[in-house]
Amino acid sequence: MSECAVQRDSCCREPAELKIVAFLCNWCSYAGADKAGGSALPVPPELSVVRVMCSGRVEPTLVLETLRQGADGVMVLACHPGDCHYKEGNFRALCRAELLERLVVQLGVDPVRFCFDYVSAAEGEKFSRITCEFAARLRQLPPIG
Amino acid sequence: MTMRYPRTAVILCACSGIISEKIDWTRVETLLADHPSRPLFRQDQLACGSDELDGLCRWLQEVKAERVVVAACSPREHQATFRGLLSRAGINPWFLQLVNVREQGAWVTEDAAAATLKATRLIRGALERVNRHRPLAARSIPVHTRVAVVGAGPAGMQAALTLARAGREVVLIEKEPMIGGLPVRYDELFPNLECGPCLLEPVMGELLHGPESEQVTLLTLSEVTAVKGSFGNWILSVRQKPRFVDVEACIGCMICQEVCPERRQNGWNRAGELAAIGVPFAGALPNLPHLDTASCRKFRGEPCEICSAECPVEGALDFEAQERELELEVGAIVLATGAEERPTLPAGFAGRDLMSAYSFERLIATNGATGGDLVKADGSAPVSLVLVQCAGSLDAGHTPYCSGVCCREALKLAHLAAAKVEGLTVTRLIKEQSVPGLEAGRQLHNDHAAVVRYGRFDALSLEEGPAGRVLKTGEGTEVPADMVVFLNPVLPGAGTAQVAELLELPRDGAGFLGQLHTLAESCAAPLRGVYLAGSCRGPGDVREAFATGTAAAGLALSALVPGRDLVIEPEVATVRPEACAGCRTCLKLCPYRAIEWDDAARMARVNDLLCRGCGTCVAGCPSAAIDGLGFTRDMLRAEIKGVLS
């Protein structure tokens, strides 16, 4: 718990002001997020999880719209390569993420605001860590829009 | 824009205090009171408890709820419970949105006020989302419970028998004139030197004549030529070559084989000859001869009908028999098309008494060309034998992988050969050794062969020395090599390649059939209703063939139950015809081949039998013409708007 608390102390914005949306695939990342809960690991309260069946479901426009709606940052979390419940959805997601990372720069958005990563059903600790780190990075940025 | 929100009930679960110690539900009610849907709240001590569910059901009916949001635990835990609640209350189960405020709220948020705000935000998202939910219903269709099994080796036979024992009709399709696959042709099987025919003949006997044989239609000399349909309703086109023998009339006396004046190469033995009509080896089942038109004198236009003249059963031989095309309707397909050995010699190798492991097996088999005598081409016994293991395996220039079965095979062959020729010098050439298991460990322990390690397969060479022929490794070691046997890699069989193409199944890097999951679902193909048994999945031994044959049959049995229609989950992709531009991007994206091109309508169509609802096509469609039911764009956008507002 301390990790988040420390980061929050050092940040320049109040937690309530921050808005983060995380798209989690049902089979790995969502289960990993549940695992973080089971282990009582900290997750930033500003994070709102949107469950999708597969990370391959998240089209780039959905991420861009989420930013336009006022999210300070968007995460897309997938199964590790080779572990996708739908065989290759996470590879599609990876390709789209690489495209997005370049696209947001063109739109004048700091690429820090978008995060693609892998979280397995066992990685509650990783889920906690990367969400806290992402929130900490976002707090260093001015409000979006 | 104003919209009429449906009457939305919100159940706030305390989870026996576990959630409510962090989340103040009364505060949440206050914060959400002015939501335009004017939600109807009910706090509950433990919503999933059976008594509470009864109470909740009555409440939902009393308040005439049209949509339901439950703020409780993970949907992975209780989504099915609350969908059941909606059903009982007379509400479409897909009008539910479950908000995970336990695992992803109360348990991960230290500060109670922050947890309460987070729950409020998530419920706001759910209120927006659930408003966009549409009623869905699982669809059910009748299925065929008959199963086609392709390949009648140990795996296919075991699958067919297991299915037949459960009362299923089975069509067993085999391209050869006989069944039993490869191991029935081996005198002994590793690791226990169990006799191959002794193990397999009872299995074959049960298939052909046992009580279950009533359920099994065996089609030998047959190949699948086309497949249509999908899980539960496949249509297989099968081409059956004529045997020219009436299988009902023939008594299997093999007089035709004895009297036939013509000879052909015996390809099954890779040595010796065979009459133009007959069986490739004694004991081949079904006990029926078959006629080879390429070598038969009558089919070459010569006036020969000796076989039919000598046949004791009138009409048992039928020279007019024609190729048959059959159409089979089945619910599931078990593929047991096997693996094969492709004899490979090191670069530049030539000479006498060089053979593959299969040829050697047939040479030393008591029903083989020499009656089981281990002899060289000149008829004399060899004085030395080299078993070259990893022959083309673990080799970037040939086959990169280890087949995992050849070491045990080589240990067996070394043992059998030494027992057949007294004083035989046996050397095993190895790159690596893989001898897993207790019994195989005994094989290794009892091995008396000299073992020489070598590096490169193509660096091996043969030389005539003063004391006879020697095999020389690239490292310079010389071993006496009167006879050399190569244990080549196990490769996917031709039948495996053929079915992969017909069913458009993915194959792994080595060409074996891809599996739904390599660890958890290795007997299921990624295509629903197609199951995999034996070495079409990858190199395997007889034990694995039987085990996976049973497993594949079990999967087919549990997927297709008589009287139980196929339930098709409704959360699938669907194409809006007016929006589809016909680019066909989605066809390539779908990992399950669930999207078909409708040429008449010039649009893509999703087959809901095959779609698993991953949504990759939804995200990939450039025209946004595809939507994922249960996870539509509209729903996700509403949820996002809700959590961000």
Side-chain angles (χ1 to χ4, degrees):
Chain A
M1 306 230 168
S2 56
E3 190 182 357
C4 248
V6 169
Q7 284 164 349
R8 203 169 298 148
D9 287 345
S10 64
C11 74
C12 54
R13 294 170 61 199
E14 286 300 313
E17 291 175 29
L18 207 60
K19 290 173 181 170
I20 309 169
V21 172
F23 295 98
L24 268 53
C25 83
N26 182 61
W27 305 97
C28 291
S29 323
Y30 196 89
D34 278 357
K35 198 64 59 75
S39 313
L41 297 165
V43 174
E46 309 90 327
L47 184 104
S48 300
V49 166
V50 174
R51 184 173 68 101
V52 287
M53 294 311 283
C54 179
S55 57
R57 166 66 185 86
V58 185
E59 65 264 34
T61 45
L62 198 60
V63 175
L64 296 177
E65 281 175 31
T66 307
L67 290 168
R68 200 182 58 190
Q69 293 265 349
D72 294 280
V74 178
M75 303 181 94
V76 175
L77 303 182
C79 302
H80 280 272
D83 292 351
C84 179
H85 186 81
Y86 303 105
K87 297 200 289 185
E88 53 199 28
N90 54 352
F91 286 113
R92 309 276 181 219
L94 171 66
C95 297
R96 289 166 190 155
E98 286 180 349
L99 187 73
L100 253 177
E101 276 161 13
R102 284 193 268 172
L103 187 62
V104 291
V105 178
Q106 298 301 312
L107 298 173
V109 175
D110 192 324
V112 163
R113 294 187 186 275
F114 174 66
C115 166
F116 176 81
D117 209 334
Y118 307 105
V119 173
S120 82
E123 290 177 329
E125 187 279 331
K126 181 176 180 185
F127 179 75
S128 168
R129 178 168 47 80
I130 63 172
T131 51
C132 286
E133 286 171 0
F134 188 59
R137 284 200 300 275
L138 293 177
R139 277 187 212 104
Q140 308 304 320
L141 300 177
I144 195 162
Chain B
M1 189 179 75
T2 57
M3 64 192 303
R4 190 195 89 81
Y5 280 83
R7 198 191 313 274
T8 308
V10 180
I11 297 164
L12 306 169
C13 179
C15 197
S16 302
I18 287 175
I19 291 174
S20 54
E21 74 176 8
K22 277 287 167 64
I23 297 168
D24 178 351
W25 281 137
T26 306
R27 170 97 182 117
V28 171
E29 284 192 28
T30 309
L31 289 169
L32 290 171
D34 63 347
H35 189 272
S37 68
R38 298 286 177 261
L40 307 157
F41 292 103
R42 179 180 162 119
Q43 293 185 33
D44 220 282
Q45 203 40 37
L46 187 67
C48 62
S50 56
D51 290 350
E52 312 248 352
L53 283 168
D54 291 343
L56 286 169
C57 181
R58 283 193 298 275
W59 177 67
L60 290 174
Q61 287 167 331
E62 276 164 29
V63 300
K64 297 188 172 60
E66 294 171 293
R67 300 286 190 279
V68 182
V69 171
V70 180
C73 54
S74 174
R76 295 166 65 247
E77 190 111 358
H78 276 306
Q79 180 156 281
T81 309
F82 293 117
R83 278 200 179 148
L85 168 68
L86 266 67
S87 257
R88 277 174 59 200
I91 308 166
N92 186 286
W94 276 270
F95 280 155
L96 169 78
Q97 182 65 12
L98 191 51
V99 184
N100 182 352
V101 292
R102 192 178 70 163
E103 285 86 345
Q104 298 186 12
W107 288 356
V108 292
T109 315
E110 200 175 27
D111 179 59
T116 300
L117 282 177
K118 178 171 186 174
T120 308
R121 216 172 51 235
L122 293 176
I123 294 171
R124 195 173 280 133
L127 286 169
E128 294 298 333
R129 189 192 204 274
V130 80
N131 170 41
R132 268 79 171 182
H133 283 203
R134 295 287 168 264
L136 296 175
R139 186 163 79 85
S140 65
I141 56 161
V143 292
H144 291 287
T145 56
R146 185 155 75 149
V147 180
V149 178
V150 187
M157 293 196 301
Q158 178 70 2
L161 266 180
T162 308
L163 290 159
R165 284 179 193 136
R168 290 309 170 79
E169 268 187 65
V170 182
V171 187
L172 180 57
I173 301 160
E174 171 57 53
K175 68 178 189 310
E176 298 275 4
M178 71 283 181
I179 59 174
L182 295 175
V184 81
R185 307 171 205 177
Y186 302 162
D187 257 12
E188 316 278 353
L189 304 174
F190 69 74
N192 287 337
L193 300 186
E194 192 171 344
C195 149
C198 307
L199 172 75
L200 290 159
E201 275 174 13
V203 179
M204 297 192 284
E206 206 177 333
L207 260 179
L208 296 168
H209 312 295
E212 291 84 13
S213 63
E214 298 278 310
Q215 309 285 121
V216 181
T217 305
L218 173 65
L219 299 173
T220 51
L221 293 160
S222 298
E223 287 183 87
V224 180
T225 54
V227 184
K228 281 188 295 196
S230 54
F231 177 50
N233 294 281
W234 295 106
I235 300 170
L236 266 58
S237 303
V238 175
R239 183 181 304 139
Q240 186 174 39
K241 286 188 260 178
R243 187 182 276 274
F244 302 105
V245 169
D246 184 330
V247 299
E248 300 298 328
C250 175
I251 56 169
C253 66
M254 301 297 159
I255 287 174
C256 52
Q257 177 166 300
E258 287 165 31
V259 298
C260 175
E262 190 55 60
R263 289 291 172 267
R264 59 174 151 145
Q265 292 279 315
N266 188 340
W268 288 279
N269 281 351
R270 295 211 190 131
E273 292 181 325
L274 178 66
I277 184 165
V279 288
F281 50 84
L285 291 175
N287 187 26
L288 297 165
H290 88 282
L291 183 148
D292 173 47
T293 51
S295 52
C296 173
R297 289 185 183 177
K298 181 175 169 61
F299 278 85
R300 293 207 315 248
E302 296 172 35
C304 174
E305 285 192 15
I306 298 173
C307 54
S308 63
E310 296 291 326
C311 177
V313 182
E314 199 176 332
L317 281 158
D318 176 12
F319 298 118
E320 306 302 319
Q322 297 292 317
E323 197 169 78
R324 290 203 298 160
E325 297 280 349
L326 298 104
E327 235 176 40
L328 305 172
E329 288 184 334
V330 297
I333 304 169
V334 174
L335 298 176
T337 44
E340 67 182 26
E341 169 206 79
R342 218 161 297 153
T344 309
L345 297 177
F349 253 55
R352 60 170 178 88
D353 301 311
L354 308 172
M355 66 186 77
S356 71
Y358 177 82
S359 303
F360 190 73
E361 287 273 13
R362 290 307 299 154
L363 175 65
I364 61 171
T366 43
N367 63 1
T370 64
D373 290 338
L374 173 50
V375 288
K376 297 189 286 182
D378 66 6
S380 67
V383 293
S384 59
L385 169 71
V386 184
L387 296 161
V388 181
Q389 298 177 223
C390 319
S393 300
L394 306 171
D395 187 325
H398 292 276
T399 300
Y401 58 89
C402 162
S403 298
V405 291
C406 339
C407 287
R408 285 170 287 165
E409 171 76 4
L411 287 165
K412 176 192 85 177
L413 295 179
H415 180 86
L416 295 177
K420 282 190 185 280
V421 177
E422 209 179 332
L424 181 73
T425 306
V426 184
T427 311
R428 294 194 296 116
L429 244 60
I430 62 162
K431 284 186 183 175
E432 301 292 344
Q433 284 209 100
S434 164
V435 192
L438 178 70
E439 288 159 334
R442 283 196 199 109
Q443 279 188 284
L444 190 62
H445 181 71
N446 294 325
D447 179 42
H448 298 295
V451 177
V452 171
R453 221 170 250 276
Y454 74 102
R456 243 166 39 83
F457 184 56
D458 283 327
L460 298 176
S461 59
L462 280 177
E463 281 174 22
E464 287 298 335
R469 189 170 68 173
V470 294
L471 193 155
K472 202 172 164 184
T473 69
E475 293 72 31
T477 311
E478 289 183 6
V479 297
D482 201 8
M483 183 179 265
V484 187
V485 175
F486 295 93
L487 288 107
N488 293 125
V490 179
L491 301 171
T496 297
Q498 199 179 331
V499 292
E501 200 163 307
L502 283 176
L503 284 159
E504 292 177 43
L505 294 176
R507 298 165 75 185
D508 68 14
F512 292 100
L513 298 180
Q515 297 144 36
L516 187 54
H517 190 282
T518 50
L519 298 179
E521 305 263 19
S522 80
C523 291
L527 184 58
R528 203 174 171 202
V530 178
Y531 307 102
L532 310 175
S535 52
C536 63
R537 302 156 53 257
D541 58 14
V542 178
R543 181 168 104 144
E544 194 175 333
F546 274 93
T548 55
T550 314
L555 291 172
L557 285 174
S558 60
L560 297 168
V561 178
R564 194 174 79 189
D565 285 355
L566 182 64
V567 176
I568 301 156
E569 291 299 327
E571 288 185 336
V572 293
T574 174
V575 183
R576 279 188 300 130
E578 70 278 11
C580 178
C583 69
R584 307 187 205 192
T585 304
C586 53
L587 270 70
K588 291 190 283 287
L589 280 178
C590 178
Y592 304 105
R593 293 179 46 231
I595 311 181
E596 295 148 7
W597 175 248
D598 181 340
D599 207 42
R602 308 296 298 163
M603 63 172 279
R605 276 189 203 283
V606 177
N607 181 342
D608 62 359
L609 264 71
L610 301 179
C611 175
R612 295 188 187 221
C614 67
T616 298
C617 60
V618 180
C621 176
S623 317
I626 313 181
D627 228 332
L629 299 179
F631 289 86
T632 64
R633 278 186 192 78
D634 203 25
M635 291 179 194
L636 295 184
R637 279 178 191 149
E639 185 177 353
I640 292 160
K641 185 180 148 223
V643 297
L644 291 175
S645 62

